[in-house]
Amino acid sequence: AHVNGVNVVWEAFQEAGFDVVYLRGMNLPETVAEVAAEVKADAVGVSNLLGLGVTLFPRVEARLKELGLRDKTVVWAGGRIAEKEEEHRYYEEKIRSEGVGFMGVDAFFGPDSTPEQCVETITRLLEEKRGN
């Protein structure tokens, strides 16, 4: 189901006119950031279903910072934040009260998010980064 969700979001971005580089399979967060640098990506979307988001997502941000690209790049994520259900609920509440910054991302989309919400939010965040 997770792969299907990723594919639906990927297709929604393509249909909205985005040029999408889709790294299938499991990739290290640092690799994702390096590929983003190589293709000069404006946005990076990462997904994790294993409940390791709090650990993995900040590593994308850290590598983008090392590459001098974090300020220019919108980073967004989806999937499971934590492995155990009670931890996941804790982080969902933390997002509601504090925002998503603790995960090193500009936006997070959980299971109830729609592809349209993803495209709209990322489009808005890109415009904000560009100063539009």
Side-chain angles (χ1 to χ4, degrees):
H2 185 71
V3 172
N4 289 337
V6 170
N7 287 335
V8 168
V9 171
W10 167 52
E11 289 171 3
F13 275 91
Q14 283 189 309
E15 289 172 11
F18 285 82
D19 183 17
V20 179
V21 176
Y22 182 11
L23 303 180
R24 287 173 167 70
M26 299 174 74
N27 295 278
L28 291 173
E30 294 78 12
T31 301
V32 172
E34 290 163 9
V35 170
E38 184 179 318
V39 300
K40 297 177 175 62
D42 295 318
V44 176
V46 291
S47 180
N48 182 272
L49 187 61
L50 302 175
L52 301 172
V54 172
T55 302
L56 298 176
F57 301 153
R59 288 174 49 190
V60 174
E61 178 184 54
R63 185 63 181 132
L64 286 171
K65 283 181 179 177
E66 290 171 356
L67 296 168
L69 299 173
R70 181 59 179 104
D71 292 340
K72 303 172 193 169
T73 310
V74 171
V75 180
W76 57 286
R80 288 290 286 173
I81 307 167
E83 184 178 1
K84 296 179 181 172
E85 190 58 37
E86 59 274 6
E87 290 174 3
H88 190 78
R89 281 194 303 273
Y90 165 80
Y91 287 118
E92 285 179 326
E93 181 55 39
K94 185 171 176 140
I95 288 170
R96 280 190 287 279
S97 64
E98 299 176 23
V100 295
F102 71 95
M103 290 190 294
V105 299
D106 299 303
F108 178 81
F109 301 97
D112 294 330
S113 303
T114 67
E116 295 79 17
Q117 289 171 318
C118 298
V119 171
E120 289 170 13
T121 300
I122 300 312
T123 299
R124 179 182 48 79
L125 290 172
L126 285 167
E127 289 172 355
E128 290 172 7
K129 284 262 187 201
R130 294 176 186 142
N132 296 339

XYZ file of all heavy atoms in Angstrom, residues 5 14 25 28 121 124 129:
52
model
N 0.857 4.445 -2.607
C 0.706 5.838 -2.199
C 1.804 6.715 -2.765
O 1.555 7.821 -3.258
N 3.811 14.928 -11.292
C 4.070 14.949 -12.734
C 2.925 15.627 -13.474
O 3.156 16.457 -14.361
C 4.276 13.532 -13.267
C 5.635 12.981 -12.940
C 5.882 11.679 -13.678
O 5.076 10.764 -13.636
N 7.014 11.624 -14.359
N 13.060 2.197 -4.418
C 13.763 1.378 -3.444
C 14.231 2.173 -2.245
O 13.882 3.328 -2.058
N 19.782 5.734 1.181
C 20.252 6.456 2.359
C 19.825 7.914 2.245
O 19.799 8.481 1.146
C 21.770 6.381 2.458
C 22.368 5.020 2.779
C 23.885 5.071 2.680
C 21.937 4.579 4.169
N 0.584 22.284 -1.185
C 1.490 22.731 -0.123
C 2.903 22.930 -0.648
O 3.543 23.950 -0.367
C 1.485 21.727 1.045
O 0.155 21.623 1.565
C 2.436 22.161 2.148
N 3.165 26.021 -2.805
C 3.180 27.226 -1.974
C 4.537 27.415 -1.304
O 5.103 28.516 -1.298
C 2.073 27.160 -0.913
C 2.045 28.384 0.016
C 0.975 28.281 1.096
N 0.942 27.023 1.814
C 1.785 26.686 2.799
N 2.749 27.493 3.153
N 1.659 25.514 3.407
N 9.909 30.085 -0.850
C 11.376 30.007 -0.903
C 11.935 30.947 -1.962
O 12.991 31.538 -1.793
C 11.847 28.589 -1.202
C 11.774 27.641 -0.052
C 13.095 27.502 0.637
C 12.957 26.397 1.681
N 13.941 26.481 2.705
